[in-house]
Amino acid sequence: MGFLDNITLGLSIALSYHNLLYCFLGVLLGMVIGVIPGIGVLASISMLFPITFYLDPTTALIMLAGIWYGSSYGGSTAAILLNIPGTPSNAVTALDGYPMARAGRGGVALFMTTIASFVGGSIGILVMTMFTPVIAPYALRFGSAEYFSLMVFGLVAASTISGGSVAKGLAMVVAGLMLGTIGADMYTGVPRFSFGFFELTESVSLVALAMGMFGISEVIATVRRIKPGDIDVDSVGLRAMLPTRDDWRRSWLPTLRGSGIGSFFGTLPATGPAVAAFMAYAVEKRSSSDPERFGKGAVEGIMAPEAANNSADQTAFIPTLSLGIPGSPTMALMLGALLVHGITPGPALLTESSDLFWGLVMSFWVGNLMLLILNIPLIGLWVRLLMLPYTWLYPAIIMFICIGTYTVNNSIFDIWLVLVFGFLGYVMRIFDWPTAPLLLGFVLGPLMENHFRRAMLLSRGDFATFVESPIAATSIILTVVALAWGLWSSQRNRKRRAAALQR
């Protein structure tokens, strides 16, 4: 099929009544999730993950993706009005968005971030549309040794480059890999590490793990910390949203630059929208002729990061769909949704399930248009939602988590697992142990084991197979470089902290 034929196929799928409905549901829920601080996109996707088991794979991914990029749209609202980012990637938006709101320009800031989000998301979709089909034919040449090496690189990069303690990140990856080995052996069928629990013979539930680690622990950690704030409702009226000619003049170049930065960083493991947003902000501040304006209400300071995080949301699907290697915990959940439906992401996805890929890509256009149309008129509603007492909100979240977990396997055991993982996740937060590498290790663990054992069988137990292939050898070298870089950065940060304490 030609490129235009694929576009036509994707549009016919994305514009079907069923998929339009779930796309709308996904982006609407994503906006709500982004607006309300303290929930997080991972927790919300985890809560809604069970619903996807009863949907067509394409429809399931369309809804989950809508939640993912819809949260970036909504997350700027709380960041601008309350100085509380709805999502981590919106933290940098608060640096200039909140001063604008305090100066009575909150409506302008919200309107401009909506425009930046749409432009950034659109450019990210274009990059995904052009580059994913290009990568896939080369990825068809990958064997088990290449896939295993790439997955090792992705896990090491995700646990070392993104910051924090390298040792803790690697420990969490290993913990995730160990959890992934629970269940029946894929070759012999012998139960492993089930400890006599029949429910564990089919492995630990991904839903229980995600809901506990990112749902329950999030509720426990934030229930006393987040409080609704006072908001000037008049500053976000429709009349107050009109930007000036100077605002437009200062915005278009930062939006394009931010979109380019986000498109690049979205494809890399361990980076994603948060890193892309901070990089875009740093570039704009460095290139500005008047950097003193930043942090005091510069419109460029909200346009560049918002465009960057939305373009990164889209391009993050490139390695996930074309190589089957997620670069972030959210993409790991997307990968899990495909695996639950018996679809293996990778280069064959574009040929064997072209309707799924192109339907998903075209749904991104539909979802971004929906968000553009919905976001501005609903700002008044989001403002009132931010005034809700959180003592009402969090019990409802826990209830939905329990219902969602139980409906997957109709198992009380899974609810106990959620509670165990929730408590474990909260303890990990206290001791600053990252949870994201654990989820990545858990999702990729079975795939890594399968490719490793297959590579060993094909090479008759010769470990040299992992360095004989140029792709596998390059991945191993990159893994060593990422590990060395992470260790060096960690040591440097430790010395800086020690020097700061001595002062």
Side-chain angles (χ1 to χ4, degrees):
M1 294 177 66
F3 182 76
L4 290 178
D5 293 330
N6 288 325
I7 296 294
T8 304
L9 172 65
L11 284 173
S12 66
I13 294 169
L15 295 177
S16 66
Y17 172 77
H18 192 64
N19 288 333
L20 278 174
L21 176 63
Y22 279 96
C23 182
F24 176 79
L25 179 63
V27 297
L28 185 63
L29 288 172
M31 287 177 67
V32 176
I33 289 154
V35 167
I36 301 174
I39 299 180
V41 66
L42 269 171
S44 51
I45 288 181
S46 301
M47 282 189 288
L48 296 168
F49 195 75
I51 299 176
T52 65
F53 295 176
Y54 308 100
L55 299 175
D56 177 81
T58 304
T59 306
L61 273 186
I62 286 173
M63 188 185 77
L64 292 178
I67 297 171
W68 166 238
Y69 55 82
S71 65
S72 293
Y73 271 75
S76 60
T77 303
I80 290 170
L81 298 180
L82 297 179
N83 202 27
I84 301 174
T87 66
S89 60
N90 297 117
V92 68
T93 306
L95 297 178
D96 281 279
Y98 186 61
M100 287 183 70
R102 294 191 65 181
R105 304 194 73 216
V108 175
L110 291 171
F111 180 86
M112 296 301 282
T113 55
T114 301
I115 300 300
S117 297
F118 177 76
V119 174
S122 299
I123 292 176
I125 297 168
L126 284 174
V127 172
M128 181 186 175
T129 305
M130 291 186 294
F131 282 96
T132 307
V134 174
I135 294 172
Y138 292 99
L140 285 170
R141 305 174 188 175
F142 289 12
S144 290
E146 288 81 3
Y147 271 114
F148 175 78
S149 303
L150 277 173
M151 289 178 184
V152 171
F153 168 62
L155 286 178
V156 171
S159 58
T160 58
I161 295 176
S162 57
S165 170
V166 174
K168 290 180 179 180
L170 291 175
M172 289 297 96
V173 166
V174 173
L177 293 172
M178 292 174 66
L179 282 173
T181 62
I182 295 175
D185 183 278
M186 64 183 70
Y187 287 93
T188 64
V190 176
R192 302 180 301 184
F193 311 114
S194 60
F195 303 101
F197 291 101
F198 175 76
E199 293 86 352
L200 290 178
T201 54
E202 294 185 6
S203 79
V204 174
S205 169
L206 173 62
V207 175
L209 175 67
M211 285 193 178
M213 286 286 183
F214 299 100
I216 298 295
S217 65
E218 188 76 35
V219 169
I220 297 172
T222 59
V223 69
R224 292 185 177 181
R225 181 158 47 90
I226 293 186
K227 298 178 181 178
D230 296 324
I231 301 168
D232 182 9
V233 179
D234 294 332
S235 69
V236 292
L238 289 176
R239 289 185 179 180
M241 290 185 190
L242 296 177
T244 64
R245 183 175 297 179
D246 184 61
D247 290 330
W248 288 113
R249 181 181 61 82
R250 292 179 178 273
S251 298
W252 69 275
L253 268 178
T255 302
L256 294 178
R257 280 194 292 261
S259 301
I261 292 170
S263 297
F264 173 74
F265 279 99
T267 61
L268 302 180
T271 54
V275 175
F278 277 96
M279 286 296 296
Y281 186 85
V283 168
E284 289 307 315
K285 187 174 181 179
R286 184 176 291 270
S287 61
S288 174
S289 58
D290 189 13
E292 290 78 15
R293 294 176 56 254
F294 284 77
K296 300 176 182 178
V299 69
E300 308 97 295
I302 62 174
M303 298 299 283
E306 282 298 308
N309 68 44
N310 280 273
S311 60
D313 284 344
Q314 308 297 340
T315 55
F317 282 90
I318 293 176
T320 304
L321 296 179
S322 62
L323 299 175
I325 301 174
S328 68
T330 309
M331 287 299 105
L333 287 178
M334 298 292 180
L335 185 71
L338 285 172
L339 294 174
V340 163
H341 286 279
I343 297 172
T344 303
L349 179 71
L350 272 70
T351 54
E352 296 176 1
S353 302
S354 58
D355 54 339
L356 184 148
F357 174 78
W358 291 106
L360 179 64
V361 171
M362 291 301 105
S363 76
F364 292 164
W365 288 112
V366 176
N368 271 272
L369 282 170
M370 286 181 177
L371 286 165
L372 181 66
I373 296 169
L374 285 174
N375 200 38
I376 296 172
L378 290 179
I379 284 175
L381 175 62
W382 305 144
V383 169
R384 285 163 179 80
L385 193 63
L386 287 171
M387 297 177 181
L388 274 178
Y390 285 89
T391 51
W392 298 356
L393 186 63
Y394 285 115
I397 293 172
I398 294 175
M399 179 188 71
F400 285 123
I401 287 175
C402 293
I403 293 173
T405 304
Y406 180 79
T407 55
V408 175
N409 297 314
N410 294 327
S411 171
I412 297 294
F413 183 83
D414 286 350
I415 295 180
W416 285 109
L417 279 181
V418 169
L419 295 177
V420 170
F421 285 127
F423 176 74
L424 180 62
Y426 180 64
V427 172
M428 288 166 60
R429 283 171 176 264
I430 294 175
F431 292 99
D432 198 26
W433 287 77
T435 53
L438 186 145
L439 179 62
L440 286 172
F442 177 77
V443 172
L444 287 181
L447 294 173
M448 287 179 64
E449 181 188 5
N450 186 24
H451 285 298
F452 175 78
R453 293 172 71 171
R454 189 180 299 169
M456 287 289 95
L457 286 172
L458 293 173
S459 65
R460 298 174 182 260
D462 185 5
F463 284 94
T465 187
F466 296 109
V467 294
E468 290 174 348
S469 163
I471 296 173
T474 302
S475 300
I476 296 297
I477 293 171
L478 290 174
T479 301
V480 174
V481 170
L483 185 58
W485 174 267
L487 291 170
W488 178 78
S489 299
S490 181
Q491 185 68 22
R492 182 186 60 181
N493 293 335
R494 192 179 297 113
K495 289 180 179 179
R496 285 180 176 176
R497 287 193 293 268
L501 289 174
Q502 289 176 359
R503 293 174 187 171

